[in-house]
Amino acid sequence: MAKKPQAPAKGKSTFTRILLLSLALAFVLMFLPTVLFVAVGMLPTVAAYIVDRNPDKYEWICVGGLNFAGCVPFLLRLWSGRHTVDAAAAMLTDVFTLMAVFGAAGLGWLLFMALPPMVGVFMQMKAQRRVANLKATQQRLIQTWGPEVGKTKP
């Protein structure tokens, strides 16, 4: 007879949660300038996730990828220079930094809105070309084997 799998002890799961929460808190405090910059810089990605009605949630991936790409140069500047909260706040109050980060997210929105119709047109053109090729092949078969090949039986 098969044994039932045992549930993990409650004490271990609580300890694990407390340990992970403590490590996350230590990480946030250690890298507070980075966390602050990323939290503000990635707000368009959060907005894209919230407003996306599709159950697959593809919008935030498109916006988030370019949004993060817009954040990377400024994160590198933050990491290579002074890694302080003041430096991160100075970057976040710089209009050009915000324009670059949020502009990259805007490009992600544009890609998400523009690419699906373009792909649809491409797929439609490809299907029309395939139909034309199949009709040409059908005509060659009719010429080779006779008109009986093109008829369907009732």
Side-chain angles (χ1 to χ4, degrees):
M1 206 156 148
K3 292 183 180 180
K4 290 183 181 179
Q6 293 181 348
K10 272 196 167 189
K12 284 186 179 182
S13 66
T14 304
F15 175 74
T16 304
R17 286 183 186 160
I18 291 173
L19 180 65
L20 288 176
L21 190 62
S22 300
L23 288 174
L25 183 64
F27 177 80
V28 167
L29 291 176
M30 189 180 305
F31 300 108
L32 187 59
T34 299
V35 171
L36 178 67
F37 184 82
V38 169
V40 174
M42 297 295 283
L43 283 176
T45 303
V46 174
Y49 184 81
I50 291 170
V51 301
D52 193 5
R53 294 183 187 152
N54 190 345
D56 294 330
K57 301 269 186 191
Y58 293 123
E59 191 170 345
W60 78 272
I61 295 172
C62 188
V63 173
L66 285 172
N67 190 193
F68 186 71
C71 287
V72 167
F74 302 102
L75 285 173
L76 291 175
R77 187 187 311 165
L78 184 66
W79 294 336
S80 64
R82 297 175 318 147
H83 191 251
T84 62
V85 174
D86 290 336
M91 286 179 141
L92 288 172
T93 56
D94 183 20
V95 175
F96 296 108
T97 301
L98 292 177
M99 281 181 55
V101 171
F102 293 156
L107 287 176
W109 283 99
L110 286 175
L111 277 177
F112 183 79
M113 289 188 285
L115 281 183
M118 288 181 1
V119 169
V121 167
F122 173 75
M123 297 286 285
Q124 185 179 11
M125 288 173 27
K126 188 176 175 182
Q128 287 173 351
R129 190 179 69 207
R130 179 153 167 78
V131 167
N133 287 341
L134 288 173
K135 283 184 180 180
T137 303
Q138 184 182 25
Q139 289 301 319
R140 281 195 311 267
L141 287 173
I142 288 173
Q143 288 174 358
T144 304
W145 293 96
E148 297 85 25
V149 174
K151 296 179 182 175
T152 59
K153 292 186 180 181

